[in-house]
Amino acid sequence: MQTNGPKLQNGTMKSKPKKARVAVLISGTGSNLQALIDSTQAPSSSARIVVVISNKAAVTGLDKAARAGIPTRVINHKLYKSRVEFDTAIDQVLGEFSTDIVCLAGFMRILSGPFVRKWNGKMLNIHPSLLPSFKGANAHEQALDAGVTVTGCTVHFVAEDVDAGQIILQEAVPVQRGDTVATLSERVKLAEHKIFPAALQLVASGAVWLEEDGKLCWVKEEPAWKEV
């Protein structure tokens, strides 16, 4: 018989390891959010999503969170006079839910310096290119215009400079002849849905972390996922 309570080992009760409390910030459909939800629902997950925050109301990502029983909050950036005020409102919600890790999953706002510094080493972002190539918006269009044969996606710690944080995981995706932004985006999304949950598990489990000097550290010298 299986039980979900504390396990008895060597005559003593051993509690389950505490799972990292994760907040996911979104702005739209939440396809990467769904991948994170699916992965964190596994019993072996080192993380659990405690809140989903959107800067836009009535987006489908909020519906996905609600179906999974995850609390949601809408913080409309247009209601704030400055980026710092908006970020402060987000930070208050993160505190309300005792957040350990923040994941940016299609969150289309640039965060302020004070917010990024506060969450340094605890905030992850997914970007649809093999950074440092094709930073910023329109990454797929940039890749097609450059004529590259390989692109991909990157999960990285968030830094004050856009798309410049330490890289945790990357996966390459071939560019096919005749690709459009739409077709390339769909293939890259499949890779995103693999490596974002994997990167979150690495950080939540303590297998990967960011030192105070900005250096990326791994528990293992040879990670199971290799960077491209």
Side-chain angles (χ1 to χ4, degrees), residues 93-116:
V93 176
L94 299 180
E96 176 188 346
F97 285 88
S98 302
T99 302
D100 299 310
I101 299 171
V102 179
C103 289
L104 308 182
F107 184 66
M108 304 306 291
R109 303 298 301 172
I110 296 176
L111 296 163
S112 63
F115 184 90
V116 172

Side-chain angles (χ1 to χ4, degrees), residues 124-186:
L124 285 61
N125 183 50
I126 182 82
H127 183 75
S129 77
L130 294 177
L131 293 174
S133 297
F134 312 130
K135 295 180 179 181
N138 305 316
H140 299 308
E141 186 174 347
Q142 291 183 60
L144 291 173
D145 288 346
V148 297
T149 58
V150 176
T151 185
C153 51
T154 303
V155 183
H156 62 93
F157 283 111
V158 176
E160 289 190 63
D161 292 336
V162 175
D163 299 328
Q166 287 282 3
I167 293 169
I168 303 169
L169 291 177
Q170 292 184 306
E171 179 151 323
V173 175
V175 179
Q176 297 178 359
R177 183 173 296 179
D179 256 338
T180 64
V181 169
T183 59
L184 182 58
S185 173
E186 286 305 308

